[in-house]
């Protein structure tokens, strides 16, 4: 019989032998300690993803709200500046509209909330000589429930009251003023903020083949922010080939033309080859007009040169968001009403084009328009030079970088001098 001590020694040896067959305890403990740490990392990643997704969504929603309602921040900025600090917030109304209101209402109607019934606006400068054509245009828009505002540049208002729609339109009279003069003063973005689209047209357009409802349906479906109806090829005074109607298309956004000093090819990225509408019949979305109104120069009333820059108000890529709609087209009659004169006539020989009598209103208007064009170009270039943070969204990165470096060097040289 083995002594007790030997039995105990044998048991200890067997237990040590069995323990050697198991995995090392320190390694197992290390893995177990890793599990809570990995779980914490996973939880943090999930939380980060949720926060990022939520923030990104809120940012995009804020951008969308700013585009759809660009005037909602007017109240906040005014409150922050202290100008409205003495008014309770609930009484502040930072926007308006052009809807006519009755002088009194019935007791029943006072208890109901009246929402705007018209969501689009037609604005035109008009003279009594073009009354028949204006009547034809306005009737098409009134049928589609447009708000109509007429700018009377000849001072004649009484001659319009016999038209059925005249008492439902807004009439503004100012002698010998242009479309852009009226638009800058009476179409402030805060006043026209309820309108989805703003048609700022000339009065000498033939609309036999134009329907506003179908036109806006195309504009919406194609995602256009700025557009114009195409011009019939027989129109008078076509200045840019991109505006000519294409019979086979619903709309077009660019033109291909190798003639003249400006070559329009696949590589063209700006006006007048793409991203361009002319000033005779532009149509703006609410957000595009908010930008375009600020682009209009208060003292440059003829608007020359502005059409080349309207693409900067397209709320994105002007080669996609600016277009000419071919299916709904107009005829430009080329009637020079402001300053006198009738339908524009082509001179029979080149010498007659420059033989108008000096001092004639049309000659002086053209001189003024040419001077304003040069002034607009100078202001644009000066604004680019002075705004060192501005980056042209339509230039290549390398060219934009070079321009910024050049501006900084010029600033540095001016400081040293």
């Amino acid at each position: 019989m083995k002594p007790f001590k030997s039995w105990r020694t044998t048991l200890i040896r067997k237990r040590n032998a069995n323990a050697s067959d198991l995995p090392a305890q320190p390694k197992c403990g290390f893995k177990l300690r890793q599990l809570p740490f990995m779980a914490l990392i996973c939880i943090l990643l999930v939380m980060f993803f949720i926060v990022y997704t939520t923030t990104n969504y809120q940012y995009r929603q804020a951008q969308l709200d700013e585009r759809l309602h660009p005037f909602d921040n007017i109240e906040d900025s005014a409150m922050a500046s202290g100008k409205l600090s003495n008014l309770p917030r609930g009484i502040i109304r930072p926007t308006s509209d052009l809807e006519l209101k009755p002088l009194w209402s019935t007791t029943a109607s006072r208890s109901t909330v009246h929402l705007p019934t018209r969501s689009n606006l037609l604005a035109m400068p008009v003279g009594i000589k073009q009354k028949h054509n204006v009547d034809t245009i306005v009737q098409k828009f009134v049928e589609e429930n447009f708000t109509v505002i007429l700018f009377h540049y000849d001072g004649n208002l009484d001659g319009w009251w016999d038209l059925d729609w005249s008492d439902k339109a807004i009439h503004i009279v100012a002698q010998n003023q242009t479309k852009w003069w009226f638009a800058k003063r009476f179409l402030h973005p805060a006043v026209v903020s309820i309108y989805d689209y703003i048609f700022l047209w000339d009065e000498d357009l033939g609309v036999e083949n134009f329907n506003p409802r179908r036109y806006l349906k195309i504009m919406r479906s194609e995602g256009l922010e700025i557009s114009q109806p195409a011009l019939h090829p027989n129109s008078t005074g076509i200045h840019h080939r991109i505006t000519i109607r294409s019979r086979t298309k619903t709309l077009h956004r660019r033109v291909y033309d190798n003639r003249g000093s400006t070559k329009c090819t696949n590589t063209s990225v700006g006006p007048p080859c793409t991203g361009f509408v002319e000033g005779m019949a532009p149509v703006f979305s609410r957000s595009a007009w908010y930008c375009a109104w600020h682009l209009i120069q208060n003292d440059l009333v003829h608007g020359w040169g502005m059409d080349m820059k309207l693409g900067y108000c397209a709320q994105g890529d002007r080669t996609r968001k600016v277009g000419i709609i071919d299916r709904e087209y107009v005829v430009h009659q080329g009637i020079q009403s402001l300053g006198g004169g009738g339908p524009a006539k082509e001179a029979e020989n080149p010498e007659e084009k420059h033989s108008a009598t000096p001092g004639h209103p049309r000659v002086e208007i053209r001189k003024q328009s040419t001077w304003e064009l040069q002034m607009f170009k100078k202001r644009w270039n000066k604004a680019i030079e002075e705004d060192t943070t501005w980056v042209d969204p339509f230039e290549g990165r390398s060219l934009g970088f070079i321009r910024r470096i050049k501006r900084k060097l010029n600033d540095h040289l001016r400081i040293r001098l």
Side-chain angles (χ1 to χ4, degrees):
M1 183 176 179
K2 292 184 179 181
F4 175 77
K5 186 175 181 180
S6 63
W7 278 106
R8 189 175 67 175
T9 303
T10 304
L11 289 173
I12 291 173
R13 288 176 180 174
K14 286 182 178 182
R15 186 172 61 186
N16 291 339
N18 292 335
S20 64
D21 295 336
L22 296 174
Q25 290 300 320
K27 291 183 180 180
C28 182
F30 178 74
K31 288 186 177 181
L32 289 174
R33 285 195 299 270
Q34 273 188 321
L35 288 178
F37 177 75
M38 295 300 293
L40 179 61
I41 293 295
C42 291
I43 292 172
L44 289 175
L45 288 174
V46 170
M47 291 178 63
F48 175 78
F49 176 77
I50 293 173
V51 171
Y52 171 79
T53 304
T54 304
T55 305
N56 188 51
Y57 171 79
Q58 291 175 341
Y59 172 73
R60 292 180 179 276
Q61 190 66 29
Q63 283 189 319
L64 180 62
D65 290 341
E66 185 176 351
R67 285 187 57 198
L68 295 178
H69 309 284
F71 316 101
D72 291 349
N73 60 352
I74 295 176
E75 177 186 336
D76 294 332
S77 61
M79 291 292 289
S81 66
K83 296 177 182 178
L84 301 177
S85 58
N86 289 337
L87 294 178
R89 273 186 175 269
I91 203 65
I92 297 172
R93 295 293 181 269
T95 62
S96 182
D97 59 54
L98 295 171
E99 300 303 295
L100 299 177
K101 307 296 182 184
L103 292 178
W104 65 86
S105 56
T106 62
T107 305
S109 64
R110 290 171 190 162
S111 60
T112 59
V113 178
H114 296 280
L115 298 176
T117 58
R118 298 174 182 177
S119 58
N120 302 300
L121 175 69
L122 169 67
M124 278 197 306
V126 299
I128 197 65
K129 292 181 180 179
Q130 301 303 317
K131 178 180 177 180
H132 176 71
N133 195 64
V134 171
D135 181 33
T136 303
I137 295 173
V138 171
Q139 285 194 42
K140 289 219 169 190
F141 284 85
V142 168
E143 290 174 359
E144 301 300 333
N145 206 29
F146 272 65
T147 297
V148 176
I149 179 170
L150 300 182
F151 305 128
H152 297 270
Y153 58 78
D154 61 354
N156 190 327
L157 180 57
D158 292 337
W160 296 85
W161 294 122
D162 60 324
L163 300 176
D164 293 338
W165 48 263
S166 185
D167 61 344
K168 300 178 182 66
I170 297 97
H171 300 266
I172 297 177
V173 182
Q175 194 79 23
N176 288 330
Q177 299 304 313
T178 68
K179 174 170 71 175
W180 302 108
W181 183 93
F182 282 108
K184 186 67 173 178
R185 286 152 183 82
F186 300 105
L187 298 183
H188 188 280
V191 175
V192 298
S193 62
I194 70 167
Y195 305 110
D196 295 329
Y197 293 96
I198 296 153
F199 289 64
L200 189 57
W201 279 19
D202 289 352
E203 61 182 333
D204 59 343
L205 301 174
V207 293
E208 181 181 351
N209 300 288
F210 181 85
N211 179 278
R213 177 177 48 80
R214 293 197 296 262
Y215 182 91
L216 287 180
K217 184 178 180 181
I218 296 172
M219 190 170 175
R220 288 191 186 97
S221 64
E222 295 291 337
L224 299 179
E225 296 285 338
I226 302 174
S227 69
Q228 78 161 78
L231 302 182
H232 189 280
N234 294 334
S235 296
T236 302
I238 295 178
H239 302 107
H240 303 280
R241 288 186 58 82
I242 192 173
T243 62
I244 301 176
R245 181 190 179 223
S246 173
R247 296 186 178 183
T248 60
K249 297 179 180 179
T250 300
L251 81 160
H252 64 275
R253 294 179 170 91
R254 64 169 57 243
V255 68
Y256 303 93
D257 190 7
N258 291 321
R259 295 172 292 179
S261 58
T262 303
K263 310 296 182 183
C264 294
T265 64
N266 283 327
T267 60
S268 300
V269 294
C273 303
T274 185
F276 176 83
V277 297
E278 204 166 359
M280 67 184 70
V283 181
F284 302 91
S285 70
R286 182 191 296 109
S287 297
W289 178 248
Y290 181 83
C291 171
W293 184 89
H294 288 83
L295 179 64
I296 300 172
Q297 305 295 290
N298 191 63
D299 58 327
L300 305 183
V301 297
H302 292 284
W304 279 30
M306 201 176 71
D307 51 1
M308 292 291 179
K309 305 302 182 184
L310 284 177
Y312 286 91
C313 292
Q315 312 302 297
D317 184 359
R318 64 185 173 187
T319 66
R320 301 300 306 167
K321 293 184 175 294
V322 180
I324 312 293
I325 296 180
D326 299 292
R327 186 165 293 174
E328 304 297 321
Y329 60 96
V330 298
V331 178
H332 186 221
Q333 299 165 355
I335 299 174
Q336 300 173 344
S337 299
L338 191 61
K345 296 180 180 179
E346 192 69 24
E348 295 181 1
N349 59 71
E351 295 180 359
E352 293 182 6
K353 293 183 178 181
H354 305 284
S355 60
T357 305
H360 187 277
R362 292 307 309 174
V363 175
E364 297 305 319
I365 287 174
R366 188 166 188 85
K367 287 182 180 179
Q368 177 69 20
S369 301
T370 303
W371 176 82
E372 288 188 7
L373 172 61
Q374 300 305 318
M375 285 299 301
F376 183 83
K377 289 180 177 178
K378 289 180 180 179
R379 290 182 186 181
W380 180 270
N381 293 331
K382 183 181 179 182
I384 292 176
E385 291 178 3
E386 293 178 348
D387 190 350
T388 56
T389 63
W390 184 77
V391 178
D392 193 327
F394 306 119
E395 282 186 346
R397 291 186 178 182
S398 58
L399 183 57
F401 177 76
I402 292 173
R403 286 184 183 273
R404 290 196 298 275
I405 294 297
K406 186 177 180 180
R407 287 204 299 266
K408 289 182 179 180
L409 287 174
N410 290 337
D411 292 340
H412 181 68
L413 289 174
R414 279 198 294 268
I415 292 173
R416 294 195 64 179
L417 293 175

